[in-house]
Amino acid sequence: MTLTIGIDVGGTKVAGGVVDEQGNVLASNRRPTPADDPAGTRDTIVEVAAELVAQYPEAAAIGIGAAAWIDAAGSTVLFAPNLAWRDEPLQAYVSKATNLPVVLDNDANVAAWAEFRFGVAAHADSMVMITVGTGIGGAIVVNGQLWRGANGIAAELGHIQSVPDGHPCGCGRLGCLEQYASGNALVRFGRAGARQEPERAATLLGLAGGDALAITGRQITEAARAGDGVAMDAFAQVGYWLGVALADLAQSLDPQLMVIGGGVIDAGPLLMGPIERAYRDQLANRDRFPVAAIHAARMGNAAGVVGAADLARRA
């Protein structure tokens, strides 16, 4: 049995795990990410890996998933919006420090690969995954392979345009999907609704101490589960835009499955219901043809570690 190490690098934590061929995590650890310190971040990755290698010296390779744009060769972090990396030769550094082969990929790709290999899409040979957290990530699997594009940065689905001349996005464009269907968008919708219709947001405002600007995503979820009108509307808006985007992707790529992952899916039917309705409405005229079903991801927080480790094993 070949064991490999997966490392999930985010803006707040570096999480690692030893993973077997069935996707089981045998050991895990984590460290805070020194996000403003490129050298400190790469050294933290090495520390996490070294600790796991000490426990399982038979580990054969390391996979790293980073919240960043990775070059086509899978060797360099071109840009990381929440980390201080710019043109960071991460693969070579970690490989030299650990004396193990290293595979480097985008965090959404490795999470999607975990779902494709061991999760909800294990029976499919093509899928599109959108990860909904603070922002939006994406990944595409075609014919059993991750599609990375000519330059390694394919499937930045959060930055397809939803609303021409819409809300400004951090990427420099206007109206990106991320501005209408992410965790940040959910909070913006909730706060705006509470200010405009406080009588429909009594539960939500109560949770936020009466201050609409203090509303959080967790409070919106709690209030929506209690039937708060504004909170439910916020989920409906996010779900609508995700459903429209998925319909466009279905028309373009015709995958077997659509998968929604990320922290926001913890809301369950509050989000998945509006997504499904908008998706079906947008594709109503395709009733003569099969349409990809939408599923919630099921690998949870382990997806990044498991997917990175499995990509390392395959490489």
Side-chain angles (χ1 to χ4, degrees):
M1 179 174 65
T2 302
L3 301 181
T4 49
I5 292 170
I7 299 178
D8 183 10
V9 185
T12 60
K13 73 179 188 309
V14 176
V18 177
V19 182
D20 68 15
E21 293 174 351
Q22 286 72 49
N24 301 305
V25 179
L26 307 181
S28 61
N29 62 359
R30 61 191 291 169
R31 298 275 195 285
T33 304
D36 296 328
D37 179 1
T41 300
R42 71 189 187 193
D43 289 340
T44 299
I45 293 168
V46 171
E47 290 170 10
V48 167
E51 182 178 308
L52 294 168
V53 169
Q55 295 179 63
Y56 287 86
E58 67 270 36
I62 298 169
I64 301 172
W69 292 342
I70 310 298
D71 72 339
S75 62
T76 301
V77 177
L78 300 174
F79 175 77
N82 298 312
L83 300 166
W85 281 332
R86 303 294 184 269
D87 297 317
E88 179 72 29
L90 185 64
Q91 181 200 38
Y93 183 88
V94 176
S95 182
K96 182 177 180 180
T98 61
N99 199 31
L100 285 171
V102 172
V103 170
L104 174 64
D105 213 326
N106 170 269
D107 61 337
N109 279 350
V110 301
W113 188 252
E115 291 294 338
F116 181 73
R117 288 278 288 128
F118 307 108
V120 71
H123 65 284
D125 69 5
S126 64
M127 62 169 272
V128 172
M129 181 167 172
I130 291 183
T131 57
V132 185
T134 303
I136 285 182
I140 299 168
V141 177
V142 178
N143 296 328
Q145 300 291 327
L146 280 164
W147 186 60
R148 297 179 176 89
N151 300 299
I153 55 174
E156 286 291 337
L157 303 182
H159 300 289
I160 58 177
Q161 190 178 67
S162 293
V163 180
D165 299 320
H167 199 79
C169 182
C171 74
R173 300 186 73 196
L174 299 177
C176 289
L177 177 64
E178 187 166 286
Q179 298 305 312
Y180 295 89
S182 63
N184 280 344
L186 180 74
V187 171
R188 191 175 78 247
F189 292 145
R191 290 175 177 177
R195 290 196 303 270
Q196 294 164 7
E197 299 181 275
E199 70 283 356
R200 296 184 63 241
T203 301
L204 183 55
L205 285 168
L207 291 170
D211 182 2
L213 294 179
I215 289 170
T216 66
R218 191 177 300 274
Q219 290 166 351
I220 294 172
T221 301
E222 183 178 347
R225 285 175 173 153
D228 184 276
V230 163
M232 294 176 70
D233 285 352
F235 273 108
Q237 291 179 80
V238 167
Y240 170 79
W241 290 112
L242 283 170
V244 171
L246 288 172
D248 288 343
L249 291 165
Q251 300 271 40
S252 302
L253 300 172
D254 191 27
Q256 282 180 277
L257 286 182
M258 298 289 193
V259 180
I260 304 292
V264 176
I265 66 162
D266 290 343
L270 291 171
L271 179 64
M272 297 303 291
I275 291 173
E276 185 75 35
R277 287 191 291 274
Y279 179 70
R280 295 294 170 182
D281 287 348
Q282 292 289 313
L283 296 174
N285 291 329
R286 284 196 58 181
D287 56 357
R288 295 184 181 86
F289 307 99
V291 174
I294 300 174
H295 294 276
R298 68 182 187 209
M299 292 298 293
N301 292 332
V305 166
V306 172
D310 196 65
L311 286 171
R313 180 179 298 105
R314 293 171 66 86

